[in-house]
Structure formats: structure tokens, C-alpha cells
Amino acid sequence: DAGITQSPRHKVTETGTPVTLRCHQTENHRYMYWYRQDPGHGLRLIHYSYGVKDTDKGEVSDGYSVSRSKTEDFLLTLESATSSQTSVYFCAISEYRTGEAFFGQGTRLTVV
Amino acid sequence: KNEVEQSPQNLTAQEGEFITINCSYSVGISALHWLQQHPGGGIVSLFMLSSGKKKHGRLIATINIQEKHSSLHITASHPRDSAVYICAATNTGNQFYFGTGTSLTVIP
């Protein structure tokens, strides 16, 4: 199995609180992504990174920020969680040259 | 309009049947991925294709670059194949375009 892990796997939080999700890889892949998956919408890109300290926004970035201070870690932060951010969050990694991609197991976040 | 279209959206099959899921894309791609997601589970990469055909066990994936079309075939389907299958295209910038998925149920 590819070395990509997400933590936590499940989280319940209250509206207005900050939340940070972590994606860790051991593959040394350049690209890392955060997606959210919602019924009827499929996978939608929140933010992605193409290298350490190099990040860019996706189609649903409002309310989210990211950081990548090391190749292996990509953090997704909800500055002030809202109920609309209740979702399943997936991290993915991609190898630059081959395009090989792996996905994490997902984090189920519930904002109450 | 979605850059990646899958069909069918839902599919029910009897155990042992041959299954085909189709994917059409409208963007220029460097690769086409087939992904599998079991209910409540993570996403597993089944295939990455840039041309031709790949086979892994009972799964076969094909791609026709000229027609911008890919198919995923499952031979001798089994209830454990029940899952959502997602087609995804990547461009040269490593950006993904996802289909909305095909929900497959295989009945014993």
C-alpha cells in the first residue's frame, strides 16, 4: 500500500472552532491535494500543493487554508468551522513525472 | 459541462456477469485513472492509463486516445466488486478532473 495517511479519521467539532486535518506521505511525491466529497458533488478540489511552501486554491477554497512546510506533510485548516463544511475529506498525492496517484482513507468531519 | 462524464450512474448486475463502465473526457490528458471506493471507505487507485489496455485480475481497463474514451471491464463479477467506480483524468499540470462515479451493486 502507498504510504499516505490522514489524521484524524473521524472528528466532531462545534461551529466556530478551528480544525486542522493532517495528510502525511512517505512516497516523497511532489503534488499533494485536499478534496472534499459530498453526495451529488463527487470530489471537489479545496487546495493543492506542488512543492514545499507552494500551494494554490481549488474550486471550493473559501473557509479553508493549507500549509506545507515539509514534503511529507500537508495540513488543511478550517479557521472557523461551519455546518456546510461537514463532509468527508480526502488527501491525495501524485508523482510529478509519472502521474501515479494515491488517495488517503478519508476524514469524516461533522460540524455541529 | 463536466470535463469527465461517466456512464451509467448506477448499475446492478448478477454475480458472474460481465460489467462495463464507460468514461468520456473532453480535456487534454496525460493519464486516465480508474478508482474504486467501497461504501464508507477510502479511495483505491485501480489503474492509470495513458494508452492501450491494462489488466489486473478480473479487471481490465482500456483507453482510446483519439476518441477520448476509456472503459473499465469486470469479468465474472462478484458481490465484493460492489463499490463506486470513479474515472479521473489528469492533465500535464497534474490536475485531476473527476467523473461523478458509477455505483455498482453485484447481487449474489
Side-chain angles (χ1 to χ4, degrees), chain A residues 19 34 46-47 61-67 75-79:
Chain A
V19 177
W34 276 109
I46 305 171
H47 282 278
S61 60
D62 286 349
Y64 302 95
S65 62
V66 290
S67 66
L75 304 180
L76 176 70
T77 298
L78 289 66
E79 303 289 348

Side-chain angles (χ1 to χ4, degrees), chain B residues 73-104:
Chain B
H73 305 286
I74 304 175
T75 61
S77 59
H78 190 277
R80 64 176 174 266
D81 297 326
S82 298
V84 174
Y85 293 84
I86 303 168
C87 171
T90 48
N91 62 15
T92 53
N94 283 62
Q95 293 305 305
F96 285 84
Y97 300 90
F98 294 96
T100 52
T102 295
S103 179
L104 171 66

